[in-house]
Amino acid sequence: YDRFRRLRHLFLPRADSHIPTLLSSMPGGKVIHVSSQSEFEAAYTSGVVVVDFFANWCGPCKAIAPLFEQLASVLEDVTFLKVDSDQHQSLSARFEIKSLPTFKFFRDGVLTRTEMGANQQMLESWIRLELAAYNDTTRYTSGTKVILHSLDVDKYNGKVAEIKSFQKGRYAVNVGGKTFSMKPGNLRGIHNFRVIEEGKQEKKAFIDATATWDDSEGKYIIENVSPSTGGLSVKHSVAKKHLEIPKNCK
């Protein structure tokens, strides 16, 4: 624990930084004990997520639990979930849990790694590798336009911002002439999308828009950026097979 406390300053914004931080309303900095499948669905689809499938009777699960908590307090850009396999058997079956503990790693809802056993020497390395890979493949470049979301200060949610720089896991973004430090999970990329029919015939284009997957409808929700308000305008539902998504869409 003392080692994690000494290293904490390497991963959190400096208190004396001249860039103010807009706080996120998304989970971070603590372990979330999943109480329902809907809570799990809402938590595992954004950013880097590590899920600890455990049981209260499992000795190795109890042994590694304190380390899991400590890592959650240090790596605030990662979402840490715990799922009781006995209470949530449908989730355990869905992710094919064969032994306990089992750790599942996700990037924006995509399963990227599975590790079984209470390996205290490797757990931190696995999580850091996932975070590094996520940052490398999804990093926005300077000048990129993004939409802000899930912030505690509601007046900034839905606003257009411009990326200035990236340092120590956070972006410096310009919002209405002001610069703030934000987590990657609070930014959604703005892109140009094409809606296509069968045979690749273009039907409609969305310029300067965002795309969000809606599990309940099984469709993408497209929202255009409004030049007049700097926010998002009318929503459109588009089936996955009819949407041409840019390769750099995050």
Side-chain angles (χ1 to χ4, degrees):
Y1 176 78
D2 288 340
R3 180 166 64 92
F4 292 121
R5 185 175 58 187
R6 289 195 301 271
L7 292 175
R8 185 180 176 86
H9 72 282
L10 296 177
F11 308 102
L12 300 178
R14 293 183 340 208
D16 61 348
S17 173
H18 68 285
I19 301 178
T21 299
L22 279 181
L23 297 179
S24 170
S25 58
M26 301 172 68
K30 62 180 181 180
V31 175
I32 301 170
H33 292 259
V34 173
S35 59
S36 65
Q37 182 158 333
S38 60
E39 183 181 26
F40 178 86
E41 298 294 343
Y44 94 102
T45 55
S46 179
V48 177
V49 180
V50 54
V51 185
D52 174 10
F53 285 87
F54 75 102
N56 288 325
W57 48 262
C58 168
C61 300
K62 293 180 180 179
I64 203 167
L67 176 60
F68 198 70
E69 295 276 353
Q70 290 167 7
L71 290 171
S73 70
V74 172
L75 300 172
E76 293 192 348
D77 286 334
V78 178
T79 299
F80 289 74
L81 306 179
K82 285 182 74 74
V83 175
D84 188 320
S85 293
D86 289 335
Q87 293 184 8
H88 302 286
Q89 295 183 16
S90 61
L91 285 175
S92 295
R94 172 179 166 186
F95 292 106
E96 300 180 337
I97 304 303
K98 305 296 185 183
S99 64
L100 298 174
T102 291
F103 296 93
K104 296 282 184 175
F105 299 80
F106 300 87
R107 302 180 206 159
D108 288 335
V110 177
L111 180 65
T112 54
R113 177 189 290 264
T114 297
E115 299 291 350
M116 293 178 285
N119 192 329
Q120 299 194 39
Q121 287 72 38
M122 291 301 297
L123 181 59
E124 181 180 0
S125 296
W126 293 332
I127 297 172
R128 289 192 182 280
L129 285 171
E130 289 298 310
L131 185 58
Y134 181 80
N135 285 336
D136 286 343
T137 57
T138 62
R139 188 172 298 172
Y140 295 109
T141 57
S142 177
T144 301
K145 294 290 195 302
V146 294
I147 290 287
L148 309 181
H149 67 93
S150 303
L151 294 165
D152 285 347
V153 183
D154 191 57
K155 69 178 182 178
Y156 290 109
N157 287 323
K159 294 296 184 182
V160 178
E162 182 177 326
I163 300 295
K164 294 177 68 68
S165 63
F166 181 85
Q167 187 175 15
K168 293 184 178 179
R170 286 180 177 267
Y171 287 98
V173 301
N174 184 283
V175 190
K178 298 180 179 179
T179 301
F180 298 96
S181 174
M182 294 189 189
K183 292 182 177 181
N186 295 113
L187 311 177
R188 185 179 299 140
I190 298 173
H191 302 277
N192 298 334
F193 299 91
R194 288 199 310 155
V195 178
I196 52 179
E197 295 179 327
E198 301 298 337
K200 298 289 184 179
Q201 296 298 313
E202 184 172 334
K203 181 180 180 182
K204 186 175 182 180
F206 293 99
I207 308 300
D208 290 342
T210 68
T212 307
W213 178 253
D214 187 335
D215 265 334
S216 62
E217 291 192 17
K219 295 182 177 181
Y220 281 100
I221 306 301
I222 307 297
E223 297 178 86
N224 276 106
V225 176
S226 169
S228 58
T229 65
L232 297 174
S233 59
V234 180
K235 297 181 179 180
H236 307 268
S237 296
V238 182
K240 183 178 182 180
K241 66 178 181 178
H242 291 154
L243 188 66
E244 187 173 280
I245 302 173
K247 291 182 179 180
N248 63 339
C249 182
K250 302 172 178 62

